Amino acid sequence: MTRLLTAIFALLVFLSPADAQVREIVAPGAIPGSLTVFSKKATIYVTTQESGIRVPLVASAPLGKGAVLALAHEGLVAAAAMHSENAEFLQETMRSLKPGVPRFRIAVLDSAMRPALTATGATVIPVSLPRMELSGVDFLYLDQAALDSSMSAVGDVRKWVKSGGIVILAGPLWGWRAVTGKNPLTQHSGNQIAREAGIVFADGMTDMTGKAGWLLDSAGTTYIYTPDALNALSDHAAGVKTLTRSELTQATVILQHSLESLSPSGSPLERDTVKRINALCDRYASDAIPTKAAPVTAAMPFARLKLIREIRDAQSVAPEKVKASPAAAAFPGSVPAEAPRLTQTITINPRIPEWHGTGLYAPPGEVVTITLPDEASGKGIAVRIGSHTDTLWHLDKWLRAPEISLRREISGKTLRLASPFGGAIFIDIPATLSDVAKAAMPGKGILVKIAGAVAAPRFVRGVTGQDDWKKSIRNALAPWAELEGKRIILSVPSYAVRELDNPEALMAYWDEVADLCADLYAIPRERARPERYCVDIQISAGYMHSGYPIMTYDDVARTFTNLAVLRGPDGHETWGFYHELGHNHQQSDWTFDGTGEVTNNLFSLYGGERLNNADQGGDYLHSHPAVTPDERRKRLSKYLASGAKFSDWQGDPFLALTMYIQLRRTFGWEPFQKVFAEYNALPAAERPKNEMEKRSQWMLRFSRAVGKNLGPFFDAWGVPVSEAAKKEVVSLPVWMPDDLPVR
């Protein structure tokens, strides 16, 4: 804490009196990760928060005669071109690291960052790989992944830093992992540079600490440095000091990040830190088997740390040494010993990117072997064990182990791997290979040999015979099943399919869901790859969330396969399924602030109408309870009575959705589809550049689509649009619904 307060004080006194009001830095639209700071010599300038726990956001540490400055999102730097606070913050932080230099010289690989770095008052010098010319340069700015494809340059940068240079590294690790799927311990170039200084990028998403971004004043935050957290937990365990519940949680999360982020075979400082944490676990930890009935909470620090260690150890040892985790039996489930271990050859279509199901399952702790044909080896193909990709590190309690999915790239012809948790086996085709395959491999599949796995229930629409399904396939002994349509794939517990007699009709429904979603948002029904839904006992955020796959809790596992409910008249039952699929189709151009949970719900309405007859003439009597006529009237009446403040509109998704429902009830869905099609065809120069343009374009385009002037309608709702946009539709007849008075 002392180091943090000293750093903040030093930062603030650098600012001139005119700049003394700078208390917050921003990064519009950015969701940063965090840093693990494990050097006692480091300085933490700004913290962010993860589920209420403070974690480092910006930090520096010396390395030789130079230093490393790390920021957990490049948006903090990029925003310097637009926000003087960020420019001043960067300028003064750099000045504290390199005092006495009148004008900094910053080398940069990414030309897009030049305006932002220039805004700090520095001279920006472009450099390029493979060999960057850094003589006479004070700072080098690098995106976290800038040297991933040129790891030989990592050593050159470290050498330059040790001789007196300062490298600025920026980027969220969660974004890097999502895009690359690689191992941050060994394949993240930013970490390879920073770790020797005692800083690494950590996984997970974090939240703002201020209204617009991150406050510079983090007074009161304790145990954000790994050494401090380690000492605090050690003292607590030994009875030297008793931590409060919040202090215990804070210190535990910091050490969690440390175990996740640090390599036991990394730099000397890393090795020592990991060794100390392990010693603490060995002395005080009991077995940790999280379940619904007995979750592992943040108040159980050593149990959590031990489980993290087990997961990390399994990722770093030879597959033959991986053992089944005791937690695997609780979730995702065990495989009966009598289930035959199989060797099968699966045909994979390389023209379809991402996950390909195999109908095979890796038992926990057992080695499976994947063999590719010669022409497919070294092409970036990967194997994944487990569809449950959500990680739970940041949550206060764990109902299952926090990370149970495993992905490995097949660099050669054969790969042997094992997972302590087991899981369905997928072959992961990179988008780059699928693009090549479309042109160079028409009609050709890749034969992938898989050995050591067991059979899992798998139905493929148009391929699997229903008799075979009922007689044998649905009874396969693996605990997880895959139901594959042409547009949508479901990963569900096997118990949910044991009595499923007609998977063809079920997946026809799900394919229709995807096609209707495409129709509404005016995109082709044919997709590059199917969408996915996956059931889990615990997910990373919310009750459901969008993505690939869309994740949901297991209380709806049977609903996914119950066609009577899915096609039934109660639109509330399917609202969430449509809601998340709508998220996957949202576009920023027509989703302005306040509508992130609204424009996706257009498909909740549309899907409910088409598939569940939930609209009842546009009244939505059998849809979500929040959109019934009575609820809409209550919301609207309260909103108008309080002055129709746009901030209130933005803060209530169902209030905002009421505005869209009024348009749909009068004009139908065709104008929505027409407007979405316009956006899909827009050239880059015509796309909205800011929030006002987003709102104004939506009003303008919808007005033209229906032949009505919607300017007064937007005014009555308190949704701001530009005067220029209003003038463009002033010649059209004004339209206003009966229940909305003109303002």
Side-chain angles (χ1 to χ4, degrees), residues 233-248:
L233 277 185
S234 180
D235 288 347
H236 177 81
V240 175
K241 179 181 181 180
T242 300
L243 300 182
T244 65
R245 173 64 181 264
S246 61
E247 289 174 333
L248 196 61

Side-chain angles (χ1 to χ4, degrees), residues 6-16 19-20 22-23 92 216-217:
T6 301
I8 292 171
F9 177 76
L11 173 65
L12 292 179
V13 299
F14 273 122
L15 301 179
S16 67
D19 297 329
V22 177
R23 291 291 183 269
E92 300 307 328
L216 299 188
D217 182 7

Side-chain angles (χ1 to χ4, degrees), residues 164-179:
I166 300 174
V167 63
I168 304 172
L169 299 165
L173 186 69
W174 69 262
W176 179 86
R177 289 194 69 174
V179 171

